[in-house]
Amino acid sequence: MELFKYMTGLNIVRINYKGTAPAVNALLAGEVQVMFTGAGSIMPHVESGRLRALAVTTAERSPLTPGLPTVAESGLPGYEFTSVVGIFAPAKTPPLILNLLSQEIMNTLRKPDVSEMLFKSGVAVLGSTPEDFAARVKADIDRWRKLIQDTGIRVE
């Protein structure tokens, strides 16, 4: 949401909740008007007709919600936010071990029962090499550092 506010110049008041469930409940109750959250926590309410999904925050349309446009397609070019989950190892782990772990993790994620379970919970599995993931983490740190500095965001 902060990236959206920053890129649009909109003055949207942020309300902090102690988790996704209370925030979704506030949205359902009409206490808040908009929310950015993962598909897994919101799609049951969209499918029931209680909430309306407007767009996905990824650069490309999501297989989780194929009918939804991206925020960029909806009129905010350049907007992209993805939540990335990764597995880390100690800094001095030998490359051979890192590659073996990466291969085993990807083999597990590609199993039909695992990928289906993750998909149903709102997670799209992409996977990458250790090098690609390290580059992604570095790029994200640089990107979010700039946003935090430019907006003055602080931990509360």
Side-chain angles (χ1 to χ4, degrees), residues 134-153:
R136 170 64 189 261
V137 169
K138 183 185 179 326
D140 280 354
I141 289 170
D142 294 342
R143 180 180 188 206
W144 297 117
R145 177 182 292 124
K146 178 174 175 19
L147 177 75
I148 290 166
Q149 289 171 344
D150 288 355
T151 61
I153 294 172

Side-chain angles (χ1 to χ4, degrees), residues 32 44 61 66 89:
V32 295
R61 290 186 180 213

Side-chain angles (χ1 to χ4, degrees), residues 43-146:
M43 288 313 293
H45 302 294
V46 171
E47 290 165 358
S48 74
R50 295 183 69 199
L51 294 176
R52 181 175 173 213
L54 302 176
V56 295
T57 62
T58 50
E60 305 290 328
R61 290 186 180 213
S62 171
L64 299 169
T65 55
L68 283 180
T70 66
V71 171
E73 287 177 306
S74 299
L76 188 55
Y79 183 94
E80 177 189 359
F81 173 78
T82 52
S83 185
V84 177
V85 176
I87 298 173
F88 294 82
K92 295 186 183 202
T93 303
L96 182 66
I97 301 297
L98 290 177
N99 288 329
L100 179 62
L101 284 169
S102 177
Q103 287 174 342
E104 290 303 316
I105 291 165
M106 287 308 303
N107 288 341
T108 300
L109 292 174
R110 289 186 182 119
K111 289 182 178 179
D113 59 328
V114 174
S115 60
E116 181 181 341
M117 184 257 322
L118 289 169
F119 188 83
K120 286 181 178 177
S121 67
V123 176
V125 176
L126 301 177
S128 68
T129 66
E131 296 80 17
D132 288 344
F133 182 58
R136 170 64 189 261
V137 169
K138 183 185 179 326
D140 280 354
I141 289 170
D142 294 342
R143 180 180 188 206
W144 297 117
R145 177 182 292 124
K146 178 174 175 19

Side-chain angles (χ1 to χ4, degrees), residues 3-55:
L3 178 62
F4 185 81
K5 288 171 52 176
Y6 178 71
M7 290 180 70
T8 61
L10 291 173
N11 182 17
I12 300 171
V13 176
R14 178 184 58 225
I15 301 171
N16 296 321
Y17 289 91
K18 292 183 179 183
T20 303
V24 171
N25 287 337
L27 185 62
L28 288 165
E31 296 168 7
V32 295
Q33 287 73 46
V34 66
M35 178 180 179
F36 282 53
T37 191
S41 62
I42 209 82
M43 288 313 293
H45 302 294
V46 171
E47 290 165 358
S48 74
R50 295 183 69 199
L51 294 176
R52 181 175 173 213
L54 302 176

